[in-house]
Amino acid sequence: MTGKWFDKAFSTASRHRFSFELHDLIGVLMRLYQPTEFIKRYLPNGCFDLLVVDEGHEYKNSGSAQGQAMGVLAAKARKTVLLTGTLMGGYADDLFYLLFRILTRRMIEDGYQPNARGSMAPAAMSFMRDHGVLKDIYTERDGSSHKTAKGKKLSVRTVKAPGFGPKGIHRFVLPFTVFLKLKDIGGNVLPGYREEFIDVPMSPDQEAAHRKLAQTLTIELRQALARRDTTLLGVVLNVLLAWPDCCFRPEVVKHPRSRDTLAFVPSIFEDDELMPKEQALLDLCLAEKALNRRVLAYSVYTGTRDTTSRMKRVLEQSGLKVAVLRASVDTARREDWILDQVDRGVDVLITNPELVKTGLDLLDFPTIAFMQTGWNVYTVQQAARRSWRIGQKQDVQVIFFGYIGSSQITCLQLMAKKIAVSQSTSGDVPESGLDSLNQDGDSVEMALARQLINA
């Protein structure tokens, strides 16, 4: 080890009064610093010939520690190879920080660099304007501050929408990207793959209660937004998305600040009654069992609104063997845990898609059912293809369930749009079962809020 960086490292270790041999120097400094901080401080640029980053999309966030650590390593490597099955989530800024960390020079050449205060936010917004889709929304209101004449107040807000322009693809994606699909390998290494969306009608009582709940919360939301108060936005949207799947228990909606009760809905279904989605899932599982196919069922409500315990009980009452994979199972043990369940003859595995979205090949479950999808495009795309892997011998079928007339449909519509953008960026014609719902839109929250307010 020679050079200024070694002298600096030696001096640092000496100041801490360590007694060491030269071969112990690296070990001493690694105990003083986080590994990437040590590399940043003491190793020269180009120290590593090659950096391989698996699941590259996990490093896209602006302020994440792992994203910044990846950027440090990329700066010290001559070449960086980023591996991912989901290049982007539908928005142009999904790629911005990844590109800045691995193609820093090119991004700076195009003017995307930190401002005087070191913030990257203006550069990210500029990147969105150049290569993505931004909507400027103008709102005009009657002014109340004019004493002798009427006046208007004009406000502008900017929101992002799914999309990535051809200029950005040509400049930042195509010259540096190899798109390799497993089907391109040839030799029929993969079986057939099909996605399907099934719209499920609500029961009459469920639909009436949902309509009343939506009307009540919409009035409250409109009044809050008129006061420029967005506090209720997340509460209302989460309730309306979740309630159709959780109406087997009473629902109390409280204001997040005042704790006033905004709405109350008693339980619609008894413990021994099947909700329409549960009946649809049960029918699917029984049909697949008759074909000797196991089912992987996803539910995003595994915490406070847990639906998995009820799903397990409902399916077991019909003679199916069911297991629920929870977050309490350590990540390193999940694959073995699932194999144990398969050995015990499980017919249905229920879990949150976040728990299995990466690192697992679930070849024993050729049928996948989404009871809900959540809002994360990366998670949906990864989780939908957990069993469509090399080694799979059966055709893979993925089913998306959604209640007709609910906010779930609007959520699925936006997911379809974002998936279409993600796939088209890599040169694919969208093949998602949600594509039948594909319509233009912006963020999930804004799309749902607009649906409510304009109803």
Side-chain angles (χ1 to χ4, degrees):
M1 295 185 295
T2 58
K4 294 181 179 179
W5 67 272
F6 171 76
D7 295 336
K8 189 174 182 180
F10 188 91
S11 174
T12 300
S14 298
R15 286 199 305 272
H16 287 79
R17 298 180 181 178
F18 285 110
S19 176
F20 53 83
E21 300 292 337
L22 288 179
H23 66 270
D24 293 328
L25 178 59
I26 295 296
V28 170
L29 290 178
M30 290 291 279
R31 287 194 293 271
L32 285 174
Y33 298 105
Q34 181 186 9
T36 52
E37 182 65 19
F38 167 78
I39 292 172
K40 178 181 178 181
R41 285 173 178 250
Y42 301 119
L43 298 189
N45 290 339
C47 177
F48 302 106
D49 291 321
L50 178 66
L51 170 67
V52 179
V53 182
D54 196 15
E55 302 295 348
H57 59 276
E58 297 286 350
Y59 304 90
K60 71 180 181 66
N61 293 331
S62 59
S64 71
Q66 65 179 12
Q68 293 172 354
M70 188 274 283
V72 169
L73 295 177
K76 300 298 182 180
R78 297 177 184 176
K79 299 287 184 181
T80 300
V81 176
L82 204 69
L83 307 176
T84 179
T86 46
L87 181 61
M88 65 181 300
Y91 298 116
D93 61 350
D94 290 335
L95 287 177
F96 176 76
Y97 290 98
L98 277 179
L99 291 172
F100 190 83
R101 286 163 182 156
I102 63 177
L103 297 174
T104 308
R105 182 176 300 176
R106 171 159 288 215
M107 294 290 280
I108 292 177
E109 287 175 358
D110 284 18
Y112 307 117
Q113 54 188 331
N115 62 12
R117 292 178 296 179
S119 173
M120 291 295 296
M125 180 62 72
S126 177
F127 185 83
M128 277 291 295
R129 287 198 178 278
D130 292 342
H131 304 295
V133 179
L134 288 175
K135 295 183 179 181
D136 293 325
I137 300 176
Y138 295 83
T139 305
E140 188 177 79
R141 293 184 175 87
D142 292 330
S144 58
S145 60
H146 300 273
K147 295 183 178 180
T148 59
K150 292 183 178 180
K152 299 286 185 181
K153 284 186 176 180
L154 185 66
S155 61
V156 183
R157 64 184 178 90
T158 301
V159 298
K160 64 181 182 179
F164 192 52
K167 179 183 175 182
I169 295 175
H170 175 74
R171 175 71 174 163
F172 298 107
V173 178
L174 294 182
F176 309 101
T177 308
V178 175
F179 298 103
L180 177 63
K181 302 294 182 182
L182 291 177
K183 62 185 179 183
D184 297 335
I185 298 176
N188 295 322
V189 296
L190 287 176
Y193 178 88
R194 182 172 66 90
E195 293 184 359
E196 180 183 358
F197 169 73
I198 297 179
D199 47 354
V200 180
M202 288 187 274
S203 71
D205 291 344
Q206 184 184 16
E207 184 178 7
H210 177 268
R211 187 185 309 112
K212 182 179 179 180
L213 177 63
Q215 289 173 350
T216 301
L217 294 181
T218 298
I219 292 173
E220 296 286 347
L221 180 60
R222 284 174 177 166
Q223 293 174 350
L225 293 178
R227 300 190 300 268
R228 300 291 186 90
D229 179 9
T230 59
T231 307
L232 284 181
L233 188 59
V235 173
V236 170
L237 299 184
N238 283 325
V239 168
L240 292 182
L241 275 175
W243 183 84
D245 288 310
C246 303
C247 54
F248 54 86
R249 62 168 68 98
E251 183 75 34
V252 180
V253 185
K254 293 182 178 292
H255 194 286
R257 290 180 180 171
S258 66
R259 308 308 299 170
D260 293 336
T261 299
L262 303 178
F264 171 77
V265 184
S267 59
I268 304 298
F269 294 93
E270 300 294 336
D271 289 342
D272 57 349
E273 288 184 279
L274 289 183
M275 296 190 296
K277 259 196 199 180
E278 292 173 340
Q279 183 64 59
L281 176 64
L282 175 60
D283 293 342
L284 173 67
C285 293
L286 291 175
E288 294 301 292
K289 182 178 181 180
L291 298 174
N292 198 28
R293 291 167 59 95
R294 296 183 181 90
V295 176
L296 175 61
Y298 289 134
S299 174
V300 300
Y301 301 122
T302 55
T304 305
R305 295 181 177 274
D306 181 50
T307 60
T308 58
S309 298
R310 178 182 166 95
M311 288 169 58
K312 182 176 186 292
R313 176 171 51 80
V314 164
L315 296 175
E316 286 180 337
Q317 287 175 348
S318 296
L320 295 167
K321 294 182 180 179
V322 185
V324 180
L325 173 62
R326 302 189 183 277
S328 57
V329 179
D330 186 69
T331 303
R333 293 184 52 249
R334 285 174 190 167
E335 187 168 10
D336 291 337
W337 185 92
I338 293 172
L339 291 176
D340 287 342
Q341 303 305 315
V342 172
D343 291 340
R344 294 173 184 174
V346 70
D347 299 310
V348 183
L349 175 65
I350 302 173
T351 189
N352 190 313
E354 289 287 345
L355 300 182
V356 297
K357 65 179 181 179
T358 56
L360 293 177
D361 293 339
L362 304 180
L363 302 180
D364 295 297
F365 300 88
T367 300
I368 297 176
F370 281 86
M371 300 298 281
Q372 311 90 24
T373 61
W375 299 3
N376 191 317
V377 170
Y378 294 100
T379 298
V380 172
Q381 289 185 284
Q382 293 275 357
R385 305 198 176 193
R386 281 300 91 202
S387 59
W388 197 52
R389 292 286 190 269
I390 293 177
Q392 179 62 265
K393 303 301 181 184
Q394 304 184 66
D395 289 347
V396 174
Q397 180 183 20
V398 180
I399 306 294
F400 297 90
F401 291 111
Y403 277 119
I404 297 175
S406 72
S407 298
Q408 294 177 357
I409 300 299
T410 305
C411 179
L412 291 171
Q413 287 172 339
L414 184 73
M415 295 293 287
K417 173 65 176 178
K418 293 169 72 177
I419 289 173
V421 172
S422 175
Q423 292 180 343
S424 62
T425 301
S426 58
D428 283 352
V429 176
E431 298 175 349
S432 170
L434 297 178
D435 194 49
S436 60
L437 300 171
N438 193 354
Q439 296 177 359
D440 288 337
D442 37 33
S443 72
V444 175
E445 297 91 335
M446 290 300 105
L448 295 178
R450 186 175 297 108
Q451 181 197 53
L452 291 174
I453 294 172
N454 295 334

